Amino acid sequence: MVRVIRQRDAEVAREAILEAAEEVFARDGFAGARIETIGVEAGYNKSLIFHYFGGKEELYQAIMVRLKKRLLDGYLEPLTAFAQCSNEMSTSRLRIFLELSVDRYLAFLAQNPRNLRIMAWEAAEGWHTFLGNRKELEEHRTRMICLGEFLLDAQKAGIISPKLNPRFVFVSIIHLCVMYLQNLPRYEWFLSDVPIDQSESLAFARQQIVEFVLHGIITTPSERSEK
């Protein structure tokens, strides 16, 4: 019984440290983060952090593992399940795929704002830690390839332009979601007609990104004749 309680206390302590570390790394980046600060925010002595994680680099790697698992569970897995659930290929199914892709990624970023900031720090540093664990990367790579194959099948079916690289299209969709949320405060004055409420703002972004990817910015002859 005592062992169970100690194990439970250890799990609580580890989780509190990880939560505090995620906040500090998101705010200050790896270089600016201090173990002492993380300890204070977690409510534990820094010696306990060293005991559980070994040091700042190992703690940051643990944060990255959590981030990638969230990304896998909340985004890549559901999208892969949709891509593999049927061999049918049509414009409507491609649209559903795009809507699911944008909706899931925007939701992941909005629900995990600290992860969004940590990824910005990682990008500035060349993604060194994110790319460090080969096993986790292989899991992400397998699912990303599957999603790229889905778009390649759409291209073979004549739905996606042969001028485009399907994998580049998928990566661009992800980047549009990231850039929207990262830069919304910067361009708030310019995007004055964007809804302020977060759920409405995300719905707006999803609709705009999907329409942009599906149709681009040039109107069709039928759309021009309606005016």
Side-chain angles (χ1 to χ4, degrees), residues 206-222:
R206 181 185 67 178
Q207 185 268 336
Q208 290 291 304
I209 293 172
V210 170
E211 291 299 325
F212 180 71
V213 173
L214 276 178
H215 305 299
I217 64 173
I218 305 299
T219 58
T220 64
S222 61

Side-chain angles (χ1 to χ4, degrees), residues 153-172:
D153 289 342
Q155 189 177 55
K156 290 176 179 177
I159 301 172
I160 293 178
S161 168
K163 296 179 181 179
L164 295 171
N165 181 299
R167 291 186 180 180
F168 181 83
V169 169
F170 185 66
V171 170
S172 297

Side-chain angles (χ1 to χ4, degrees), residues 74-214:
Y75 180 61
L76 293 175
E77 286 284 13
L79 210 55
T80 303
F82 175 83
Q84 294 178 331
C85 73
S86 171
N87 292 323
E88 175 202 351
M89 183 52 66
S90 63
T91 302
S92 61
R93 188 155 191 262
L94 175 61
R95 183 183 184 94
I96 293 171
F97 174 86
L98 292 175
E99 289 176 340
L100 182 63
S101 177
V102 174
D103 186 56
R104 283 281 182 172
Y105 205 66
L106 284 172
F108 164 75
L109 296 172
Q111 291 165 9
N112 301 283
R114 294 182 300 200
N115 288 169
L116 178 62
R117 293 195 294 273
I118 288 173
M119 286 194 290
W121 284 107
E122 271 290 294
E125 295 295 330
W127 297 99
H128 296 305
T129 306
F130 189 92
L131 296 173
N133 190 309
R134 292 292 176 185
K135 180 184 176 183
E136 292 169 2
L137 278 180
E138 191 58 34
E139 292 180 354
H140 281 240
R141 183 175 180 274
T142 300
R143 285 157 182 78
M144 290 285 285
I145 289 175
C146 173
L147 301 176
E149 290 297 320
F150 177 89
L151 293 177
L152 180 60
D153 289 342
Q155 189 177 55
K156 290 176 179 177
I159 301 172
I160 293 178
S161 168
K163 296 179 181 179
L164 295 171
N165 181 299
R167 291 186 180 180
F168 181 83
V169 169
F170 185 66
V171 170
S172 297
I173 292 169
I174 293 173
H175 288 171
L176 284 169
C177 296
V178 172
M179 295 307 293
Y180 174 75
L181 288 178
Q182 279 187 341
N183 290 285
L184 189 55
R186 178 184 178 186
Y187 294 117
E188 217 164 8
W189 61 271
F190 186 64
L191 298 170
S192 56
D193 55 342
V194 173
I196 297 175
D197 178 77
Q198 187 183 65
S199 61
E200 293 180 2
S201 177
L202 293 179
F204 166 84
R206 181 185 67 178
Q207 185 268 336
Q208 290 291 304
I209 293 172
V210 170
E211 291 299 325
F212 180 71
V213 173
L214 276 178

